[in-house]
Amino acid sequence: MEVRTRFAPSPTGFMHIGNLRTALYAYLFAKANGGKFIVRIEDTDQGRYVEGAVDVIFNTLKQAGIDYDEGPGKEASPDSYVQSERKAIYKKYAEELIRRGGAYYCFCKGRDMTDGGTVKYDKRCYRLSKEEVEARLARGESYVVRQNIPETDGVSSYTDLVYGEISVAYKDMEDAVLLKSDGMPTYNFANVVDDHLMGITHVIRGNEYLSSTPKYNLIYDAFGWERPQYIHLPPIMKDKERKLSKRYGDANFDDFVKKGYLPEAIVNYIALLGWSPKNNEEMLSMDELIRLFSVDGVCISPAIFDEAKLRWLNGNYIKKMTVPEFIKAAKPFLDASKVGGKYNYELLAPLLIPRVEILSEIPSLVDFLEEYGPFDLSLFDHQKMKTNAALAKTAIEKALPAIEQMQIWDMTELHDLLVREAEAAGMKKGQMLWSFRIAITGRASTPGGATEMAELLGKDETVRRLKFALDLLENA
């Protein structure tokens, strides 16, 4: 039997982290078992449809490196993978389910249509005679199709591959609407019909569906269809009490990408939210995730989303980047900073790679290059190296003439020059280099050392800043 899994999102907004994890696990399970991964758009609730949301779904999957075998744009059959385009299919199977006794026409309106809550629908339309049903249909009366839950004391049971045996009593189930009056199916019906017709062997979804799956199984049974196997996933929590949610911020994949997290790091981290590889490795490529993924590693306990852990993981991904890879990923953040287009990114990249955890930190690390101006002279003070403004004035006065005479702006030569001038002035190398760095940056913390900052600035700008700093010191 070929393993076939599916991801069936509703186009109601951005890609929530929980949805992306469902897609990822379904993809990993299919690929780990040599199977197929299908994408289906469940857009039957037109009232919640968000324009552009379908594009977000597919762009997110592409960024995450999750490729699908069948779905919109990759049709392997004449049928659509978009539910709103499959109304005729659902009507056909709803009528078949009625003939089989698994559903019935319901003509009730308003408060008589009550579903859920503490008041269950009383099955009054189930008790209508065949003749009355046919007459009301002939008159063109509006109707819905309801599932017919058995009126016995039995239970519907199944075995989930993560949670084990799950049973729900018939008396606790509702005769839910399967087909709405506009001909659109509800999730209760469409997901069963589509999963069967698309040959889905393993349904992977959140554990909020654990208790409703038994009523879906009754539909499978009424049709005489084979049930799929189920893999329900634990929730992703913001903390011990709250689920990760949009209202708490940063619940969407796109939120994290915009903050400067790498898609591959996000996917790696999401894979570990509810699943553990047997080798306990934490940095895993997509190929490694596919090779290692198994249901045995899926946990029952809720997973806590720890952004600090994601930052750490993202920083490790950045540290492994080559300079060209980093520039490609960081360019939007570099371009948006104050240094955008003004400095050599190939010089900046090696300084930033070991210091950045998320790419959105870049502007705060480099903007000082364009923010130079009067600064607090107490920055020259360094207790350990015993530097101060007076010593800095001496250091700059000593080094500046020699720097101005440099013919080639070579950082090795500049470093050696500063060391020589420090010795000539009777000061330590560290005192000279600290004074020089503060003078040309006006910052105590920079992404690189003294000569690295000078290389970025170039000779003319370095000399200009040294003179500016010297003027500040002389007029203090």
Side-chain angles (χ1 to χ4, degrees):
M1 178 187 69
E2 179 186 62
V3 168
R4 290 172 61 85
T5 66
R6 50 78 162 171
F7 175 53
S10 298
T12 56
F14 295 101
M15 182 76 88
H16 187 276
I17 290 298
N19 288 343
L20 182 57
R21 185 191 62 174
T22 298
L24 177 62
Y25 283 14
Y27 173 76
L28 294 177
F29 184 83
K31 297 307 168 183
N33 290 281
K36 298 285 180 62
F37 172 63
I38 292 87
V39 173
R40 182 174 75 228
I41 301 300
E42 297 197 340
D43 62 344
T44 55
D45 190 347
Q46 293 290 298
R48 298 179 62 212
Y49 182 88
V50 175
E51 192 67 36
V54 172
D55 291 335
V56 169
I57 290 167
F58 287 106
N59 289 336
T60 298
L61 292 176
K62 183 177 180 180
Q63 278 188 285
I66 300 174
D67 192 17
Y68 58 103
D69 299 290
E70 298 175 24
K74 292 187 179 182
E75 275 76 9
S77 72
D79 292 330
S80 172
Y81 289 82
V82 179
Q83 285 187 336
S84 61
E85 299 172 2
R86 296 168 59 83
K87 284 179 64 174
I89 295 173
Y90 305 126
K91 186 174 189 300
K92 169 189 169 184
Y93 280 97
E95 292 171 350
E96 174 64 20
L97 189 61
I98 291 171
R99 285 193 291 271
R100 290 172 172 268
Y104 57 93
Y105 292 104
C106 176
F107 302 93
C108 296
K109 296 179 177 62
R111 298 178 70 176
D112 291 336
M113 294 280 289
T114 301
D115 279 318
T118 57
V119 180
K120 290 174 62 176
Y121 180 66
D122 60 8
K123 297 177 83 79
R124 69 181 69 174
C125 284
Y126 173 66
R127 309 187 197 290
L128 296 176
S129 68
K130 181 180 178 181
E131 292 73 22
E132 183 174 354
V133 169
E134 290 177 347
R136 297 179 76 164
L137 290 174
R139 289 196 298 269
E141 288 191 34
S142 177
Y143 67 86
V144 299
V145 174
R146 286 184 181 273
Q147 184 174 6
N148 180 25
I149 302 296
E151 294 183 278
T152 68
D153 292 331
V155 299
S156 179
S157 301
Y158 70 101
T159 300
D160 183 80
L161 297 183
V162 175
Y163 287 84
E165 188 75 10
I166 304 294
S167 297
V168 176
Y170 295 151
K171 64 181 178 61
D172 294 327
M173 297 183 195
E174 177 77 30
D175 279 15
V177 172
L178 302 181
L179 201 70
K180 295 179 283 189
S181 58
D182 62 1
M184 280 290 192
T186 60
Y187 175 84
N188 299 327
F189 190 53
N191 87 90
V192 173
V193 172
D194 287 343
D195 283 348
H196 171 73
L197 295 180
M198 295 177 187
I200 302 305
T201 61
H202 294 77
V203 171
I204 300 174
R205 58 192 174 203
N207 71 352
E208 64 268 26
Y209 292 103
L210 272 172
S211 60
S212 56
T213 294
K215 67 183 178 185
Y216 307 149
N217 285 336
L218 291 177
I219 299 175
Y220 281 102
D221 296 346
F223 278 119
W225 294 341
E226 182 178 355
R227 300 177 181 181
Q229 296 189 65
Y230 296 101
I231 300 171
H232 286 91
L233 308 176
I236 300 176
M237 309 294 286
K238 178 77 172 179
D239 51 39
K240 291 182 178 179
E241 297 179 352
R242 299 177 296 173
K243 284 187 177 181
L244 195 66
S245 170
K246 176 65 177 177
R247 64 177 170 271
Y248 299 135
D250 291 337
N252 299 314
F253 176 83
D254 194 53
D255 292 334
F256 289 102
V257 172
K258 288 178 179 176
K259 285 179 68 173
Y261 289 94
L262 303 173
E264 56 268 37
I266 301 171
V267 169
N268 186 162
Y269 182 64
I270 290 174
L272 302 176
L273 291 174
W275 170 78
S276 299
K278 291 181 180 179
N279 64 5
N280 293 318
E281 289 289 328
E282 293 187 294
M283 287 191 68
L284 298 166
S285 68
M286 186 65 84
D287 287 342
E288 290 171 321
L289 288 171
I290 291 171
R291 179 172 55 84
L292 295 169
F293 190 82
S294 71
V295 177
D296 293 344
V298 178
C299 308
I300 293 178
S301 302
I304 304 295
F305 190 96
D306 182 358
E307 189 169 349
K309 181 66 175 291
L310 175 57
R311 283 179 67 99
W312 169 83
L313 191 62
N314 198 71
N316 283 338
Y317 269 85
I318 289 176
K319 287 177 177 64
K320 290 180 176 293
M321 285 179 140
T322 64
V323 167
E325 288 171 341
F326 179 82
I327 292 175
K328 181 179 179 181
K331 191 174 185 300
F333 298 90
L334 286 165
D335 288 347
S337 73
K338 293 181 179 179
V339 309
K342 300 177 182 178
Y343 292 84
N344 187 333
Y345 290 173
E346 290 188 359
L347 295 178
L348 271 171
L351 306 179
L352 295 172
I353 287 172
R355 295 173 171 85
V356 170
E357 282 193 313
I358 56 174
L359 298 175
S360 57
E361 296 172 334
I362 288 173
S364 66
L365 292 172
V366 301
D367 279 353
F368 74 91
L369 292 168
E370 286 295 302
E371 294 174 342
Y372 187 78
F375 55 87
D376 188 345
L377 298 183
S378 66
L379 290 173
F380 286 112
D381 297 340
H382 194 296
Q383 186 174 3
K384 187 176 181 180
M385 288 189 287
K386 298 181 179 179
T387 61
N388 52 48
L391 186 144
K393 180 174 179 293
T394 300
I396 297 169
E397 287 175 335
K398 187 69 177 172
L400 182 57
I403 292 172
E404 289 182 293
Q405 293 175 17
M406 289 180 68
Q407 298 299 309
I408 299 175
W409 195 237
D410 178 83
M411 294 308 100
T412 300
E413 184 178 333
L414 175 61
H415 181 271
D416 292 345
L417 181 155
L418 293 172
V419 172
R420 288 197 305 272
E421 296 302 328
E423 292 175 351
M427 63 180 66
K428 295 179 180 179
K429 176 180 74 171
Q431 293 174 316
M432 171 63 78
L433 292 172
W434 177 262
S435 299
F436 179 84
R437 181 157 69 115
I438 297 299
I440 66 172
T441 67
R443 299 287 180 94
S445 176
T446 59
T451 56
E452 290 170 316
M453 296 297 96
E455 183 177 24
L456 279 169
L457 294 168
K459 179 183 175 182
D460 291 346
E461 181 62 14
T462 297
V463 169
R464 185 189 76 79
R465 293 188 178 200
L466 286 172
K467 290 180 177 178
F468 181 87
L470 186 58
D471 185 62
L472 285 179
L473 289 163
E474 289 174 343
N475 291 286

